[in-house]
Structures are given as structure tokens and as C-alpha cells.
Amino acid sequence: AMDINSLISTVFSGLSVLVVEDVEGCGDAVVVTARTRDVAVPCPVCRTPTAKVHGYHRRTVTDVPVDGRPVVIHLRARRLVCPVLGCRRQTFREQIPGLLERHQRRTVRLAWQISQVARELCGRAAARLAGLLAVPVSRSTALRHLRRLPLPQQAVPRVIGVDDFALRRRHRYATIITDAETGRRVAVLPDRERATLESWPREHPAEIVCRDGSATYAEAIRRALPDAVQVSDRWHLWRNLCDKVQLEVRAHTGCWATINPTRPGGVREQTTRERWNKIHDLLGQGVGLLDCSRRLGVALNTVKRYARMPKPQALRIAPAYRPTLVDPYRDHLRARRAAEPAVPVTQLLGEIRELGYTGSANLLVRYLNQGRAEGDRPVTTPRHASRLLLTDPENLRPKETTLLEKIVAACPEMTALADLVRGFATLLKPAEGNDVKLTEWITAARTVDLPHLRSFTNGLEIDRPAVNAGLTLPYHNGRTEGVNTRTKRIMRQMHGRAGFDLLRHRILLP
């Protein structure tokens, strides 16, 4: 059996630097009476060891809980006398390194636990959890312990990633700088202005900078680090291409949607056609884009979008249909209604139920009334068609592959668009010579009547050195985007109540 001294030394092993004199349970707390050891302690000024006692003083501190109850330590510490006559510290209080710091009412390990809880949960949530762990603290105390955590002092990495994140969406943004190779957070800047970003790299030079397509970041880095290599992030390049592809697919809805004939357009399509005619009539008379915007009372960007459209029918928007249980039996329904137009719905219901249909009769009636069996509506939506174009063909199901082939073959522009998408996707794997292939791809894209894709190529040419580096070097901004995701979680925990300094502190903590 274990004796009482061994039990105390096991349970309160963190107090081994003290002499534990008594342990008792007082209500909801465990009270430990202890004193310091009778050993020589160096003077904090002259570092001369001394054990001569001038007096004693009492300290009451809290330690980590035991058995779900807080531990309160009544500590007797010594005031010692310095033996050197010329020392300016004649007496001093002995300290207990590793256990207790000056002017603190909690042990070092308890303060560390509180700071770690606050690091993950911030103020109010940390206070609630600490109370359940028998460490009652206020939210202000939790934040105070969090702010005391030191930030790491590390060298500036060779490759940095720069990106922005929203402090208040569409109003205020900040900039985060990370190590693009390890994902370590390096700095957080209070805004995304050019002057702010320009000052930091000038004081912390790096060799390679990964960024998105922001012209502000590009100019700031060029001014601060003219010799640094700027790398355009490949994910942002692909995202920009996806946006342009979706616009092109929507613009050619009148082509690929005729795989199945469409019904006459409604009020929206008629309004679109009228607006297109008005804009192109003014443009044909030599009126400028801004003047068209003022005369018609529409936004300038709207006028530009209509001016790029070759035909008004290109703006037709296909209605969206959700998948239903009747879809697998569409060919059977189409064949039966073509052979016998007056076939009763009840008979069709019995036939497809024998084939495995498990839906209701109302679903079948609605499906037939919408004309989906004969295919007099578009086979899909522009968004779905864009997804099929942008997805790796190996990841498509056979049904989706068949639909994609029909969409691609609808018109020469859609065929060229599919080829260009596949060609650009092959460039996203960094390799030598991709810059030359990119030039060929841009030339091919500009020979096709795809105005949205042409604007994408213009953007590539403006930022061409960074784009070439992004397609040939292995560096990217993926880890920076991961840090941004973690930052969003931190901001959701803080609910906008804390200031930028605390947010920056939490982001930079390792």
C-alpha cells in the first residue's frame, strides 16, 4: 500500500519544489499548505547565494484542479538578506521559477492551461469551458492570458504567400503573409492598400512571392522587391477561367439548348431582346458605350455585356430541372408516346413500374405535362453544362459524358471552348515549357469568336511574367488559402467583438 507521503508526491507532483505540510478538503476546494525549501537562493542583483532569513510572507495561489475541485495553495515564502554590504538590494523575496511568477495568483501550469483554452475558444467560450473544468475565470482574464502568449520570432522565409481576407465583407479587408512552403503565418497587415504591403516586403525581403491576380499586390511587390519572382496562383487562374467559361456557355445557350427544341421565350427573353436591339442600334449609329448607358438608364457594365453578345437569342436562359425518379424511363416514355400518342397515363405508369419505377403517379403526370418526356425543354442548365466542361473527363459518369458530347457538338464555338478548356487544364501542372505552350493557347483562343475568353487572355497578357512563373514553378498559394479558412473560423468565434490586434495575435500564434 502507498503511504500518505508517496500519495501526496504523486498527486501533487507539480509542487515538488515545495515542502507540502498539509492537504485537506474544504468544501468545494482542496487546500494545500506548503513552504519553500531551506536552500540558498542567489540575490537578484549581485547573484550571491544566501540562506539568511529576514522574515516570512504568505502567498495564496491557485493550481490545476484535482478530482474536479480547484486546488488552493497557502504558501509561506522567505524574505532573505543579501550578505554583500555594498549591494543595493539588502533584502529580497525568493521566487519559485517554473512554478510561480511575480505578482501572479495562479501557478505557471494553470496559467498555461487557461491560455491554451483561450487560444482555441477566445473569451466567453473559454470562460464557460474553464468553469466546467473547475477553473473559474472571467472572459477578461482568459483574454489577458491569451495576450500574454509570446509570438514566435522567426526568420523571413524565402518563398512567401500574400492574400487578403475580409474583416467586414465588401467594406474592410486585411492582408495575410505566410510561408508558402510550410504554411507558417508570418505577418498580418491591417489593410490591403499598396503602401501598407509595400513597406513590409521592403523591410523583410523575400526571393519568391506567390499571390493572386490583384494589380495592387503586383504593383506593391514590384516596387518593394524589384528582383523578386512573382508567382500567380494556379487556383486563381483556373477560377478566372471557370467564370469566363460559364459566361460563354450561358451566351451560347441558344445553340446547345436546341439539342431538345425549346418553347417560345417568356417576358424576360423578350425584354432581353428589346434591350439588345436598343443597345446595338445606338452602337451602330456611332454612340459610345457610356453615352448608351446614360440614354437607356442602365449600368455601363450591362451595356458592355450586351455589346459583346453577337445575337439576342444568345442570352436565353434555360430553366432548371431537378433529377426525378422518372428520368431513367424517359426513353421508354418517349418511344411509347411517339408510337401511340393517346396512350393513357395509367398504362404508362404500369409499364414503368414493371421496369422498376418506385415514384408516384402525380410525379409522372407532372413530368409529362412539363414536356420532359418528348424533350421540348433544354436538357440541362448553363451552370450544369459549365460543370461538365470543367470537370476531368475521367471523373464523369457515362450519362454525363454522353450529355457533354451533345453539348460540345452543338456549335463550332462550343467545340472550340471544350478543346481550349482541356488545353488550359494540362498547363496547370507545373513543367518547363508551359510558358511557350501558353502562348500557343492564347493564340488559339483569340482565333475563336469567344469574347469572354478573349478578355481572359487579355488578363493573362497583362500579368504574363507572374503567370509564366505560376505554370513553370512548383510554388502556389494553397497554404495561404488554408490559413484564410482557419482565420474565418477564428473570426466566427470572436463574432466581431474583438479588435484587430487580438485577431492578429490569434492568427500568428503557432
Side-chain angles (χ1 to χ4, degrees):
M2 183 180 296
D3 59 3
I4 188 65
N5 293 327
S6 299
L7 180 61
I8 292 177
S9 62
T10 301
V11 176
F12 300 100
S13 59
L15 307 179
S16 58
V17 295
L18 303 177
V19 177
V20 178
E21 296 179 340
D22 187 24
V23 178
E24 60 179 344
C26 297
D28 297 334
V30 177
V31 180
V32 178
T33 304
R35 61 177 176 84
T36 57
R37 296 184 180 274
D38 299 329
V39 294
V41 177
C43 173
V45 177
C46 64
R47 311 305 299 174
T48 303
T50 178
K52 184 177 180 180
V53 179
H54 178 271
Y56 298 95
H57 68 95
R58 297 280 180 176
R59 296 186 66 175
T60 301
V61 296
T62 307
D63 195 17
V64 294
V66 172
D67 193 25
R69 294 188 293 174
V71 175
V72 180
I73 304 175
H74 294 309
L75 175 63
R76 190 192 73 171
R78 300 174 296 173
R79 176 177 286 276
L80 303 175
V81 179
C82 180
V84 180
L85 297 179
C87 182
R88 60 185 177 87
R89 291 290 298 272
Q90 296 182 5
T91 64
F92 61 93
R93 290 182 177 182
E94 64 175 335
Q95 302 300 322
I96 311 170
L99 179 64
L100 193 61
E101 295 181 352
R102 292 173 58 87
H103 310 300
Q104 297 300 309
R105 302 297 298 272
R106 296 179 179 86
T107 60
V108 173
R109 59 179 182 173
L110 179 59
W112 181 84
Q113 289 186 2
I114 295 175
S115 62
Q116 295 304 312
V117 173
R119 171 185 172 182
E120 296 297 332
L121 301 177
C122 208
R124 297 181 185 274
R128 291 194 296 267
L129 179 60
L132 297 176
L133 299 177
V135 186
V137 294
S138 66
R139 62 182 179 87
S140 300
T141 300
L143 293 179
R144 188 165 59 248
H145 281 279
L146 174 61
R147 293 180 186 273
R148 287 175 182 169
L149 289 175
L151 296 179
Q153 300 294 331
Q154 299 177 351
V156 179
R158 185 178 67 92
V159 184
I160 62 174
V162 181
D163 200 3
D164 61 351
F165 64 93
L167 297 174
R168 184 184 176 194
R169 188 173 296 276
R170 293 186 294 273
H171 290 84
R172 292 178 55 208
Y173 289 83
T175 301
I176 190 167
I177 301 175
T178 66
D179 186 341
E181 295 180 306
T182 64
R184 173 175 59 90
R185 283 84 68 192
V186 177
V188 181
L189 308 182
D191 54 50
R192 58 178 181 180
E193 300 297 329
R194 189 187 68 183
T196 304
L197 181 61
E198 185 178 342
S199 61
W200 192 92
R202 185 175 288 114
E203 299 173 359
H204 309 81
E207 299 178 12
I208 302 174
V209 181
C210 301
R211 58 168 177 80
D212 56 14
S214 171
T216 302
Y217 285 169
E219 180 65 16
I221 296 169
R222 186 187 64 80
R223 289 173 174 266
L225 303 174
D227 297 331
V229 178
Q230 298 191 37
V231 179
S232 184
D233 186 53
R234 293 185 293 277
W235 183 87
H236 287 89
L237 295 176
W238 180 252
R239 174 61 185 271
N240 294 339
L241 177 67
C242 292
D243 294 339
K244 300 302 181 182
V245 168
Q246 187 167 358
L247 291 175
E248 293 292 355
V249 171
R250 186 178 295 275
H252 287 82
T253 304
C255 300
W256 58 262
T258 55
I259 297 172
N260 289 339
T262 59
R263 291 179 178 176
V267 177
R268 180 175 181 179
E269 184 175 345
Q270 182 179 357
T271 303
T272 300
R273 185 182 298 106
E274 292 176 355
R275 179 175 292 178
W276 184 91
N277 290 329
K278 291 179 181 179
I279 292 176
H280 278 263
D281 287 343
L282 292 176
L283 293 177
Q285 299 173 12
V287 180
L289 295 176
L290 185 57
D291 198 3
C292 288
S293 172
R294 292 171 179 171
R295 292 188 184 187
L296 300 178
V298 296
L300 178 60
N301 287 337
T302 302
V303 175
K304 291 179 180 180
R305 186 172 68 252
Y306 277 83
R308 287 195 297 262
M309 296 299 176
K311 299 178 182 179
Q313 292 84 1
L315 291 175
R316 182 179 300 169
I317 299 177
Y321 281 135
R322 293 183 179 179
T324 66
L325 296 176
V326 190
D327 288 337
Y329 313 100
R330 179 180 182 179
D331 294 336
H332 175 79
L333 295 174
R334 180 183 302 175
R336 290 286 289 113
R337 287 165 65 89
E340 188 179 351
V343 60
V345 176
T346 54
Q347 183 175 346
L348 293 176
L349 178 62
E351 293 177 0
I352 62 175
R353 278 184 174 172
E354 293 179 357
L355 297 176
Y357 175 66
T358 59
S360 64
N362 290 336
L363 181 60
L364 175 60
V365 171
R366 187 164 61 250
Y367 191 89
L368 296 175
N369 291 339
Q370 290 173 347
R372 298 175 66 178
E374 285 73 20
D376 61 348
R377 288 291 184 95
V379 293
T380 185
T381 63
R383 186 172 183 177
H384 184 216
S386 303
R387 186 184 69 82
L388 296 178
L389 280 172
L390 297 167
T391 302
D392 188 349
E394 297 181 357
N395 297 331
L396 293 177
R397 294 175 294 181
K399 182 179 179 181
E400 294 175 331
T401 303
T402 303
L403 178 58
L404 176 61
E405 292 174 353
K406 295 180 180 179
I407 294 175
V408 169
C411 64
E413 287 78 9
M414 292 298 298
T415 304
L417 180 62
D419 294 337
L420 290 171
V421 169
R422 287 192 291 267
F424 193 84
T426 59
L427 298 178
L428 295 179
K429 185 177 182 180
E432 294 183 2
N434 277 355
D435 50 349
V436 178
K437 296 179 181 178
L438 178 62
T439 303
E440 300 173 355
W441 185 88
I442 292 176
T443 303
R446 288 178 173 176
T447 58
V448 187
D449 186 17
L450 298 172
H452 296 287
L453 205 62
R454 189 175 294 113
S455 67
F456 173 71
T457 61
N458 294 337
L460 295 180
E461 289 291 0
I462 293 175
D463 201 19
R464 188 60 187 274
V467 174
N468 288 342
L471 299 181
T472 56
L473 299 179
Y475 308 110
H476 54 84
N477 240 17
R479 293 182 176 86
T480 309
E481 296 293 341
V483 173
N484 272 352
T485 301
R486 176 180 177 271
T487 301
K488 293 175 183 177
R489 176 182 65 83
I490 293 175
M491 295 182 66
R492 284 194 295 269
Q493 289 178 343
M494 298 165 67
H495 296 290
R497 292 177 177 268
F500 175 77
D501 292 338
L502 181 59
L503 175 63
R504 175 183 176 274
H505 193 80
R506 291 194 67 191
I507 293 174
L508 295 180
L509 282 174

